[in-house]
Amino acid sequence: MTNRIVFIAWQLTTRTRTLAQHLSADIISFEKHFANPFFRMFHYLLLALITLHKLFSNKYRIIFVQIPPIQSAVVALFYTRLTKAKIIFDTHSVIFFPQKFHQKLYLQLYRYLIKYPTLNIVHNQKILNYHYLKKSKTVMLEDKLPFNLCPKSAINHKKKIGIICSYHQDEPINEIFKAAESLPEYNFYFTGKSAKIPKPIAANINFTGYLSNDDYEKFLTSVDLIIVLTKRPDTVLCGAYEAVSIGRPLITSNTDALRLHFYKGTIHTANNSQAIINAIKTAFTNYQQLSAEIIELRRAKETDWQKQFEVVNNYLCKQ
């Protein structure tokens, strides 16, 4: 594979980092982002100029673009129109579920732009079947498992549950808090930045704060069970792939997409506190069976990913 591959990921994710490593590709990413829309407008302009400078300086021939934000795709398309480089959209599910007016505009722009890339990648089968993607060169590529398998030798004395979250609106965080408060015999550890969460709360609820990649992997290996939930349909969750990768039983939401892609070693639950409590108790009652099944699912995911990537690779290798 050529080393003239780059990923544009203005907000870097585990998926992009893992896929870039697989391809020995460079990454154009930026750490700081403004929440205020007024400053964000100028921030995107600055990112666009820096990105174009890096693209032209390195003469990249294959450009992967992580979407959202859609602005980075516009920048990449401008570069490829001038250089004839190949461009591949790696489209994250969030863009398909706009909440605000500007997000709806971004989705319309995306639907217009998908006719231009060499290939458009989506992350799950449900989205692949969307009618407006049928006329584009769209394929499915699930997340590549990012971590080494680390089987659990024994359950922690006080059962340790990891909740992978980012405190976005699609996550039923308050319902998980309620469940945790009703289960004082378990320790709950919430990942991500939790500055907006009111404190103090129950003594068995803990916050890891931001973790480096290495510390995050160590954290995942330390827990007995992983919970990652969403209220959004047709979405697969990076945290669910991380659970499979490490080899931990998983509790995730009871949606068609998540049932389709996580069919072993997994309990699917409604996003309310009582259902979450029941799922946790069931998971530990059947822990050995679920642990064996999640490893079986891991093997299946590795095989599936290789087959899916072969389709992507065929597009990359075409002259």
Side-chain angles (χ1 to χ4, degrees):
M1 187 65 63
T2 176
N3 62 358
R4 295 267 61 92
I5 304 176
V6 67
F7 281 73
I8 301 174
W10 286 356
Q11 293 178 298
L12 188 60
T13 63
T14 299
R15 173 187 170 92
T16 295
R17 185 186 298 108
T18 305
L19 187 53
Q21 289 173 349
H22 181 76
L23 292 167
S24 299
D26 294 338
I27 299 175
I28 298 175
S29 183
F30 304 93
E31 292 296 326
K32 185 174 178 58
H33 296 269
F34 290 98
N36 185 290
F38 177 77
F39 290 108
R40 192 188 306 134
M41 178 176 63
F42 294 99
H43 185 56
Y44 280 149
L45 178 60
L46 178 61
L47 296 188
L49 294 174
I50 295 172
T51 299
L52 285 172
H53 173 72
K54 291 184 177 182
L55 291 175
F56 282 108
S57 297
N58 291 281
K59 298 181 174 61
Y60 291 111
R61 303 307 304 163
I62 299 175
I63 319 295
F64 280 79
V65 186
Q66 176 188 295
I67 301 173
I70 194 65
Q71 290 88 340
S72 60
V74 175
V75 172
L77 282 167
F78 175 76
Y79 171 80
T80 57
R81 299 290 280 185
L82 295 178
T83 63
K84 306 302 181 183
K86 294 180 180 179
I87 183 170
I88 296 93
F89 287 177
D90 186 38
T91 308
H92 290 225
S93 303
V94 65
I95 197 168
F96 297 105
F97 307 103
Q99 299 294 319
K100 300 178 181 178
F101 178 73
H102 70 278
Q103 294 171 333
K104 294 177 181 179
L105 291 179
Y106 292 163
L107 177 57
Q108 293 305 313
L109 178 58
Y110 168 79
R111 292 176 64 169
Y112 171 76
L113 293 178
I114 55 173
K115 61 186 176 183
Y116 292 108
T118 303
L119 188 65
N120 180 46
I121 297 172
V122 295
H123 300 183
N124 70 74
Q125 188 64 47
K126 298 290 288 185
I127 287 177
L128 183 63
N129 293 331
Y130 283 8
H131 68 90
Y132 57 81
L133 296 178
K134 296 296 184 181
K135 295 181 180 179
S136 66
K137 297 176 183 176
T138 299
V139 300
M140 180 184 75
L141 181 65
E142 294 184 73
D143 286 16
K144 190 179 192 309
L145 299 181
F147 304 124
N148 293 322
L149 177 65
C150 184
K152 192 76 174 173
S153 56
I155 299 176
N156 288 297
H157 175 66
K158 189 169 184 180
K159 298 177 181 68
K160 189 173 180 180
I161 301 171
I163 296 88
I164 302 175
C165 57
S166 52
Y167 307 98
H168 290 161
Q169 291 182 347
D170 71 295
E171 299 170 339
I173 297 298
N174 288 332
E175 294 301 313
I176 304 175
F177 284 158
K178 292 177 185 177
E181 290 168 354
S182 300
L183 296 170
E185 66 273 28
Y186 302 92
N187 274 326
F188 291 76
Y189 292 82
F190 290 76
T191 65
K193 298 178 180 178
S194 57
K196 296 182 180 180
I197 301 300
K199 299 179 181 63
I201 52 179
N204 65 329
I205 295 177
N206 308 275
F207 299 95
T208 68
Y210 171 79
L211 296 172
S212 68
N213 294 333
D214 288 343
D215 287 341
Y216 182 63
E217 183 174 358
K218 289 176 184 176
F219 164 74
L220 293 179
T221 63
S222 74
V223 302
D224 302 303
L225 176 70
I226 291 175
I227 298 176
V228 53
L229 303 176
T230 182
K231 293 182 276 187
R232 200 163 53 212
D234 296 353
T235 299
V236 292
L237 299 162
C238 182
Y241 286 102
E242 291 167 349
V244 175
S245 184
I246 291 292
R248 292 295 177 275
L250 169 67
I251 294 176
T252 193
S253 298
N254 189 27
T255 67
D256 290 343
L258 289 167
R259 286 196 305 270
L260 179 64
H261 288 274
F262 300 96
Y263 50 87
K264 285 187 177 182
T266 304
I267 295 176
H268 299 93
T269 180
N271 292 322
N272 64 73
S273 59
Q274 188 56 56
I276 295 167
I277 291 169
N278 294 340
I280 292 170
K281 291 180 177 179
T282 300
F284 281 108
T285 299
N286 300 281
Y287 193 81
Q288 296 304 319
Q289 177 185 344
L290 291 170
S291 296
E293 287 180 358
I294 206 73
I295 294 175
E296 293 175 6
L297 180 61
R298 189 186 196 281
R299 296 192 190 103
K301 288 297 178 190
E302 289 179 320
T303 301
D304 291 345
W305 191 88
Q306 291 296 336
K307 293 177 181 177
Q308 294 164 12
F309 179 74
E310 199 58 39
V311 176
V312 175
N313 196 42
N314 288 340
Y315 278 93
L316 299 184
C317 294
K318 287 180 182 178
Q319 298 301 318

